[in-house]
Amino acid sequence: MQHITDRFISYVTVDTEADPNSNTTPSSAKQWDLANKLVEELKAIGLQDVSIDDKAYIQATLPSNIDEKVPTIGFISHFDTTPDFTGANVKPQIVPNYDGGDIILNKEKNIVLSPSYFEDLLLYKGQTLITTDGTTLLGADDKAGITEIVTAMEYLIKNPQIKHGTIKVGFTPDEEIGRGADFFDVEKFGCDWAYTMDGSQIGELEYENFNAAGVKLKFKGKSVHPGYAKGKMINSMLLATKYIAKLPKKEVPERTKDYQGFFHVVHLDGSIEETNVQLIIRDHNRKKFEKRKKLVQKIADKFNAKYAKQFGEDIVEIEVKDQYYNMREKVEPMMHIVDIAEKAMKNLGIKPIIKPIRGGTDGSRLSYMGLPCPNIFAGGHNFHGKYEYVPVESMQKAVDVIVEIAQIVAKQK
Ligand SMILES: [Zn+2]
């Protein structure tokens, strides 16, 4: 437990905030600080073929210690943190034997982590929690995942009596800005399948995520002096709001859950002459997803037809771009990879929580790049903000799950 805590703290105290405005990979130079440190550590614990490329993607190998040929599996996590909240000068606080009450994160600023607001805390009564000091995020997303993978590899190396096939380790930059899979060398990784250790609560196991598309709309108008505008002016801002009003009102993020998809307006800026709107479309079901994309196109077509005479050209331009797809399509034909993770948890007395992700993971993109990749809990809660925390016991359990999966796969023919 102390070993895991120390390792985790050595990672979260290195600032690795991603920068969405940068075009380089990694998006922020400071991600190299932790990446280089991880490379040294992977070598030091005895992994083979430890490599880091010019974009800071790390791979390493734990060679098989059995004669039989069994599947090669991988474990993946990301070392960047979200730009949504600062990750500089993280000062982790350790709360041993949590009593189920309020945790004062910051006395001066009166920032309290309370189970009356975050009821999940009560799951961890009596355990050791690591929290922030209320001024930064913690970075358990996903340095908890890295801690668990490194610790599990170290454990397997130190305990050669535990039999396993070839296991690969992959750490990526820039997951939080949606680029973690961009330059992942799936071929070099050479795995039959992998798991991202990037989920939240202990027991989480995910192999379904949204299908996702981004929509850009440009409404065009005609500016005329308002005193002389009758029959002449076209106000593009009003067109844009009319368009938005035609989308199904109940199908928005704030009114949907579970498998319900949505349209979500994420950006709007305009003047009389031109208004730009950005939407995102999300749905687990591929057919419904395609239908949603058709609907946004159809509404645009109707606008264009209606204003064709008056405006002389298309009054709205639309661009629909697919972003990622539900990994279920790629995982379902090899459901044993989910079953193995589920069995590993059950063997360890962990209740699997299998539910669809209302978002995407790097695993969804990797699954479509040829590496089926379900997601397993890393143990943290309240990601992307100052209330983020992780129970050390959950990290330990995640280590156990990795070791258990390795053993189950070693028996696969
Ligand atoms: Zn993450």
Side-chain angles (χ1 to χ4, degrees), residues 210-213 215 243 247-253 255-257 259-264 279-300 318 320 322 358:
F210 275 144
N211 296 293
V215 182
Y243 182 101
L247 295 169
K249 284 176 191 52
K250 289 182 182 167
E251 296 173 19
V252 289
R255 301 181 76 169
T256 49
K257 60 175 186 174
Y259 284 106
Q260 297 168 329
F262 57 72
F263 300 91
H264 179 32
L279 310 172
I280 58 171
I281 293 176
R282 299 288 186 264
D283 208 304
H284 290 99
N285 183 297
R286 188 66 180 260
K287 271 193 192 140
K288 289 185 185 166
F289 173 65
E290 297 299 334
K291 245 173 119 176
R292 288 180 189 282
K293 288 196 295 181
K294 276 199 187 118
L295 179 65
V296 293
Q297 183 68 56
K298 207 171 119 189
I299 301 172
I318 180 167
V320 183
D322 287 4
R358 289 180 65 76

Side-chain angles (χ1 to χ4, degrees), residues 64 66 68-72 164-166 192 409-413:
S64 169
I66 53 176
E68 298 83 22
K69 186 152 175 31
V70 300
T72 297
H164 57 80
T166 304
D192 294 283
V409 174
K411 289 175 202 138
Q412 295 255 314
K413 289 282 133 58

Side-chain angles (χ1 to χ4, degrees), residues 78 141-142 175-176 198:
H78 63 91
D141 177 13
D142 189 25
E175 188 271 352
E176 296 289 0
D198 198 15

Side-chain angles (χ1 to χ4, degrees), residues 1-150:
M1 291 265 290
Q2 189 59 47
H3 191 51
I4 288 185
T5 305
D6 293 344
R7 175 166 279 146
F8 176 74
I9 288 174
S10 78
Y11 299 158
V12 297
T13 45
V14 182
D15 178 12
T16 54
E17 187 174 321
D19 176 5
N21 299 315
S22 151
N23 292 321
T24 60
T25 308
S27 64
S28 52
K30 55 192 172 187
Q31 289 183 58
W32 283 108
D33 298 343
L34 183 55
N36 288 327
K37 181 178 143 82
L38 287 169
V39 167
E40 291 316 309
E41 191 173 356
L42 293 178
K43 286 179 185 164
I45 65 167
L47 286 179
Q48 306 290 308
D49 312 325
V50 180
S51 68
I52 180 162
D53 67 15
D54 61 346
K55 297 191 164 59
Y57 284 70
I58 298 170
Q59 294 195 7
T61 307
L62 176 65
S64 169
N65 63 4
I66 53 176
D67 295 329
E68 298 83 22
K69 186 152 175 31
V70 300
T72 297
I73 60 166
F75 293 94
I76 296 170
S77 62
H78 63 91
F79 49 75
D80 64 310
T81 61
T82 179
D84 292 348
F85 208 85
T86 179
N89 300 312
V90 173
K91 291 185 197 75
Q93 318 217 53
I94 298 175
V95 183
N97 193 15
Y98 171 54
D99 64 4
D102 286 358
I103 299 169
I104 305 199
L105 298 177
N106 196 306
K107 210 169 177 182
E108 225 168 88
K109 296 189 169 126
N110 194 26
I111 299 168
V112 179
L113 178 60
S114 171
S116 61
Y117 197 82
F118 299 108
E119 56 279 356
D120 290 339
L121 275 165
L122 296 174
L123 296 169
Y124 307 110
K125 234 172 139 174
Q127 300 192 9
T128 299
L129 306 184
I130 305 180
T131 72
T132 71
D133 70 348
T135 63
T136 67
L137 52 66
L138 180 61
D141 177 13
D142 189 25
K143 292 164 184 171
I146 295 182
T147 303
E148 293 149 8
I149 294 169
V150 176

